[in-house]
Amino acid sequence: MKLQIVEEPQLAFFQNDLHVDIRAGLSTFGAFDKGSASVPTPIRIGMIGTTATVDGVRDWLERCKDGVPSDEQKLKALRPAFPGMTQQVFGTSLELSDTLTRTITRHELTAALRNGNPLPHLVEVFMDHARDLASKSGLHVLVVAPPPEVFALGDVSQGIGIDPPIDELQQPAPEQEVAPPSVLNFHDLFKAQAIDLQLPCQLLRPDTYGSPTAGRVKGRRIQDKATTAWNFHTALYYKAGGVPWRLARQPALLTTCYVGVSFFKSVDGDKLMTSVAQVFDERGEGLIVQGGSASYDKDDRSPHLSEDDAFALLANGLATYRREHKNMPARLVMHKTSSFNAEEKAGFRRAADNEKLEVLDLVTVRRSGVRLLRAGQSPMIRGTSLLFDDASGIVYLKGTVPYFQVYPGAYIPRAIEFIREDGETSSAELARELVGLSKLNFNNTQFDSGDPITVRAARRVGDILKHVPANKKVNARFRYFT
């Protein structure tokens, strides 16, 4: 066994200038593709809400134009001021006009809320306006701002920039135990209906732009005002087509594609699970590929694919990658929260061999029951990894962050375990990659996310896809799911 600490991975910003911190990098250098043709200037946003929420969002955006000061007195690197969408940072601005705003009337809202099953009716009310706005040319992002009573109908802990109080990966993986039926919420139902609009949507909670107590969900952490502004504006930049930052690429390493594989059940939990792959390039752009049905293995109680379905899933994922990038990666890393059986390995290998990939790493990633302790009262340092051998180990993606000089979390961090079940990459390199992939969540500008983007995306995509009708065309880009 070997104990080591992975150095905080560098991120690339404008003109490939490097920094370990997202907000410091954006403030100092600017977004990675600032000024490129893929970033609209200005970013034209449409908005749907009630009179009160539309006015609240307008006022908040106006206040954010000139920046939002930080209330932090000591840990200024952890909670820096938001400078606004300046030429230095994002190189663009937001534009919202009355013609691109739709107001939900009190009558529409009340009628939907009085229904015995109000959520689907509320979604349809908002979707009627969304379809109308999506038909307008030149619109880049749609902001949806429901009132507090809509959010009160279901828990929406995945709002803009807010991580769950306990990281998703710390919870038992849904495919490893019998889960209760899903809790319906407006966020996931609306995203499922809007997935074919060809217009990215951003839902906003009242506590983002208004009172800290408005529409507050029990257990939801409220961020400081500057952090909220950072997260919202960065997410809008990404959804409009921009790349805020990317992992700094080491020239000596092979060009790599990362794939997260997950499974999800129907809303009632009765139907067989369906596989889905999230294909990420080194820029962090995600592409969604749906696969075939899965079945539980009676021995390990985990879902698995047949060899043919495993082959089809990865073959379709690589075809999607080729259409996007006009080439193939030299190496592919697949993350899965359950083990790989013999049929899956054979199917994935066959798909990789067909495209002549040089390296295929099949890696199981899951929460770990192993804990490491350090002297004193501070939690483990982020990046601490214990390598069991050349193919497995644990790594802390949350913990004390030397750059911040503090542990930013509210709960005792837990490590994740990784096992390379096939391939050749060392455990030290796999641990380094997992730490890096935890910095590619474009909805959160605090970089110590508790799970890699491959796993985080798997959960979010599954939460939404389970509500998508079978005949609805799904947009392949991950930015439509966040």
Side-chain angles (χ1 to χ4, degrees):
M1 291 193 295
K2 178 182 178 181
L3 184 66
Q4 67 175 31
I5 296 179
V6 177
E7 289 188 10
E8 194 62 56
Q10 297 261 36
L11 298 173
F13 297 91
F14 186 58
Q15 296 183 336
N16 278 313
D17 282 316
L18 304 179
H19 203 290
V20 297
D21 181 51
I22 293 168
R23 285 170 286 198
L26 288 171
S27 296
T28 305
F29 308 118
F32 177 75
D33 61 350
K34 180 180 66 173
S36 70
S38 63
V39 180
T41 305
I43 297 173
R44 286 184 288 274
I45 60 176
M47 186 157 56
I48 306 172
T50 63
T51 299
T53 64
V54 166
D55 289 345
V57 174
R58 281 182 179 277
D59 291 344
W60 179 65
L61 291 178
E62 191 64 32
R63 294 196 301 272
C64 290
K65 275 186 178 180
D66 296 324
V68 179
S70 173
D71 297 329
E72 182 61 54
Q73 299 299 316
K74 296 181 180 179
L75 303 173
K76 294 185 180 296
L78 178 62
R79 300 183 184 91
F82 172 65
M85 292 198 83
T86 64
Q87 187 65 31
Q88 166 67 19
V89 181
F90 293 108
T92 186
S93 59
L94 302 182
E95 180 182 282
L96 174 63
S97 66
D98 291 339
T99 58
L100 296 177
T101 300
R102 297 291 181 271
T103 303
I104 305 295
T105 67
R106 177 53 56 181
H107 173 75
E108 289 177 295
L109 193 65
T110 302
L113 287 169
R114 285 176 177 171
N115 190 279
N117 187 19
L119 269 175
H121 291 271
L122 286 165
V123 168
E124 191 54 38
V125 168
F126 279 81
M127 278 301 303
D128 282 344
H129 294 280
R131 294 186 190 100
D132 177 47
L133 284 175
S135 66
K136 308 295 182 184
S137 62
L139 195 59
H140 300 120
V141 183
L142 179 61
V143 174
V144 181
E149 53 264 44
V150 172
F151 287 109
L153 295 172
D155 178 17
V156 191
S157 62
Q158 295 295 327
I160 174 67
I162 301 291
D163 285 332
I166 301 177
D167 295 306
E168 295 165 348
L169 202 62
Q170 317 297 7
Q171 301 298 317
E175 53 264 43
Q176 293 180 328
E177 63 177 35
V178 178
S182 300
V183 176
L184 295 178
N185 63 65
F186 181 86
H187 176 278
D188 293 351
L189 287 175
F190 180 85
K191 288 278 188 174
Q193 290 299 318
I195 205 67
D196 60 349
L197 284 183
Q198 302 303 313
L199 181 66
C201 300
Q202 180 64 63
L203 270 73
L204 269 183
R205 295 182 58 85
D207 53 33
T208 299
Y209 55 86
S211 167
T213 59
R216 184 171 181 171
V217 173
K218 183 179 180 180
R220 174 184 165 88
R221 292 177 296 165
I222 302 301
Q223 293 176 328
D224 62 282
K225 293 178 181 179
T227 298
T228 299
W230 267 115
N231 291 341
F232 173 81
H233 289 80
T234 304
L236 243 62
Y237 182 86
Y238 165 62
K239 290 189 176 183
V243 178
W245 65 88
R246 61 171 288 179
L247 287 175
R249 189 172 186 278
Q250 300 181 36
L253 298 181
L254 296 173
T255 303
T256 302
C257 166
Y258 301 94
V259 178
V261 177
S262 62
F263 305 91
F264 62 92
K265 290 184 177 182
S266 60
V267 176
D268 57 15
D270 290 336
K271 294 182 181 178
L272 289 175
M273 295 168 292
T274 301
S275 61
V276 59
Q278 298 80 35
V279 184
F280 287 89
D281 62 21
E282 293 169 311
R283 292 164 67 99
E285 177 61 73
L287 303 168
I288 309 303
V289 179
Q290 289 182 273
S293 296
S295 58
Y296 271 120
D297 185 292
K298 60 179 174 33
D299 294 323
D300 64 8
R301 294 183 61 218
S302 295
H304 293 288
L305 295 167
S306 68
E307 179 178 339
D308 287 342
D309 282 338
F311 168 79
L313 182 65
L314 184 51
N316 290 338
L318 289 171
T320 302
Y321 185 97
R322 184 188 293 278
R323 285 194 298 271
E324 178 72 15
H325 300 285
K326 314 304 179 187
N327 58 25
M328 275 286 142
R331 172 173 172 258
L332 185 141
V333 181
M334 182 170 285
H335 290 158
K336 189 167 171 278
T337 52
S338 59
S339 62
F340 296 81
N341 66 12
E343 285 196 59
E344 288 173 324
K345 290 178 183 179
F348 292 139
R349 277 197 218 104
R350 182 153 55 97
D353 289 343
N354 280 2
E355 294 292 348
K356 297 181 172 55
L357 300 189
E358 294 185 37
V359 178
L360 172 66
D361 290 314
L362 302 180
V363 184
T364 298
V365 179
R366 58 195 175 201
R367 68 191 182 106
S368 175
V370 177
R371 290 183 183 270
L372 301 179
L373 301 176
R374 61 184 293 207
Q377 297 182 340
S378 298
M380 296 304 298
I381 295 174
R382 168 175 151 86
T384 301
S385 55
L386 180 63
L387 308 179
F388 303 139
D389 51 38
D390 193 49
S392 64
I394 63 171
V395 60
Y396 278 83
L397 302 186
K398 268 195 174 295
T400 299
V401 180
Y403 177 81
F404 294 142
Q405 298 183 323
V406 72
Y407 169 52
Y411 298 85
I412 298 174
R414 295 186 62 179
I416 64 170
E417 177 184 5
F418 59 94
I419 304 171
R420 191 196 73 228
E421 298 195 34
D422 198 5
E424 57 189 66
T425 303
S426 70
S427 57
E429 177 62 19
L430 293 174
R432 185 194 67 80
E433 286 186 324
L434 287 167
V435 177
L437 290 169
S438 71
K439 302 179 81 164
L440 290 180
N441 176 12
F442 295 135
N443 277 325
N444 193 341
T445 54
Q446 182 173 305
F447 65 72
D448 64 327
S449 175
D451 46 20
I453 189 61
T454 46
V455 173
R456 177 175 291 274
R459 295 292 176 84
R460 295 308 301 131
V461 170
D463 286 344
I464 292 168
L465 280 181
K466 68 178 65 176
H467 301 293
V468 176
N471 60 345
K472 185 180 282 286
K473 183 179 179 181
V474 174
N475 194 299
R477 293 182 177 275
F478 180 57
R479 66 186 71 210
Y480 287 82
F481 288 82
T482 60

